[in-house]
């Protein structure tokens, strides 16, 4: 069950949850390879993660680029995917094109990444995908995210059967303070964080490090597969 000296690929490992996941695997003794679209983010992440982290520029929606990426990476043990863009908006007026773009990223990106990674993942290894609490408890305007997150969780249950003995699981985070919200102005973001925190049983929104532990657990526990691990501060009960 040790992660010592394991090779771990984190797609989306240059920011937010993925960056914290990468640091957590390094702390567990793994060799981490991070990938995302922006060369600047990849370079910055490598120095933040430290150790001898490797970084690659790749868009996980691009199957040809993924094939080249995994060929360069070679054999490895654990795959984590935290990349993915969603979309929010009222169902009647949200354009289909925006919904399809979100599916192309968060659902299809994860789907094609797993397929491209398969020839290189060790049979004793694992795959951990990312959904989100809106899959189980969507607020108004989150029907697309509810659908995508549920689809990712269903996909992982199917893949756990199809790809065994490789284990396949999902982390479903609640609200986490990450750069995903950097498009909002400071006041609105802090207001949203305060409002959500007040509704949660734990009375705070998550730091990325609180979520990262779930990915480390799922990679290391050799009896866990087909599972969605919800880390949402009690959002499902409050
Ligand atoms: N933060 C939350 O409150 C929250 C809650 C529930 C679920 N989630 C889910 O958790 C996951 C991570 O979110 P986060 O908050 O950590 O976001 P984040 O800080 O924005 O990080 C997203 C990462 O994914 C990469 N990425 C995005 N699109 C990509 C693409 N097409 N190809 C390759 N890499 C790509 C980004 O780097 P580049 O820009 O360089 O590509 C970045 O490294 C997402 O699936 C999100 O939906 C987040």
């Amino acid at each position: 069950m040790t992660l010592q000296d394991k090779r771990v690929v984190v797609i989306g490992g240059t920011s937010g949850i993925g960056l914290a996941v990468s640091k957590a695997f390094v702390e567990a003794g793994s060799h981490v390879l991070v990938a995302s679209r922006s060369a600047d983010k990849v370079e910055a992440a490598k120095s933040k993660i430290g150790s001898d982290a490797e970084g690659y520029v790749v868009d996980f929606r691009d199957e040809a680029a993924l094939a080249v990426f995994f060929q360069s990476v070679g054999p490895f043990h654990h795959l984590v995917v935290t990349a993915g863009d969603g979309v929010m908006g009222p169902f009647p007026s949200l354009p289909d094109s925006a919904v399809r773009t979100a599916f192309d990223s968060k659902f299809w990106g994860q789907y094609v990444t797993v397929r491209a990674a398969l020839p290189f993942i060790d049979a004793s290894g694992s795959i951990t995908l990312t959904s989100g609490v809106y899959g189980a408890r969507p607020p108004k305007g989150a029907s697309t995210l509810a659908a995508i997150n549920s689809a990712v969780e269903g996909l992982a249950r199917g893949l756990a059967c199809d790809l065994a003995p490789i284990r396949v699981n999902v982390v479903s985070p609640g609200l986490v303070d990450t750069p995903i919200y950097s498009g909002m102005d400071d006041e609105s973001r802090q207001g949203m964080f305060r409002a959500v925190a007040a509704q949660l049983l734990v009375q705070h929104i998550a730091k990325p490090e609180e979520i990262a532990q779930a990915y480390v657990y799922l990679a290391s526990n050799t009896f866990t597969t087909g599972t969605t691990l919800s880390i949402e501060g009690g959002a499902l009960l409050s």
Side-chain angles (χ1 to χ4, degrees), residues 70-154:
F70 282 114
Q71 197 69 49
S72 321
V73 166
F76 67 98
H77 301 93
H78 300 287
L79 173 67
V80 170
V81 190
T82 60
D85 293 328
V87 69
M88 298 272 294
F91 178 78
S93 57
L94 194 61
D96 286 0
S97 59
V99 176
R100 287 177 195 277
T101 298
F103 263 91
D104 280 344
S105 178
K106 193 166 176 178
F107 178 77
W108 283 108
Q110 300 202 73
Y111 185 105
V112 297
T113 298
V114 170
R115 197 167 52 199
L118 271 188
F120 303 97
I121 301 187
D122 195 89
S124 68
S126 72
I127 296 167
T128 306
L129 306 180
T130 303
S131 62
V133 70
Y134 290 176
R137 189 170 183 187
K140 271 195 173 303
S143 47
T144 299
L145 275 174
I148 291 174
N149 291 331
S150 300
V152 169
E153 292 167 13

Side-chain angles (χ1 to χ4, degrees), residues 11-19 35-39 41-42 58-61 81-86 105-106 110 130-134 145 149 171-181 193 208 215:
I11 310 286
T14 64
S15 175
I17 296 170
L19 181 59
S36 77
R37 291 165 299 183
S38 146
K41 281 193 203 171
V42 169
V58 71
D59 185 330
F60 82 152
R61 298 166 299 185
V81 190
T82 60
D85 293 328
S105 178
K106 193 166 176 178
Q110 300 202 73
T130 303
S131 62
V133 70
Y134 290 176
L145 275 174
N149 291 331
V171 174
S172 175
L175 190 69
V176 193
D177 184 358
T178 74
I180 208 170
Y181 301 109
F193 286 171
Y215 292 85

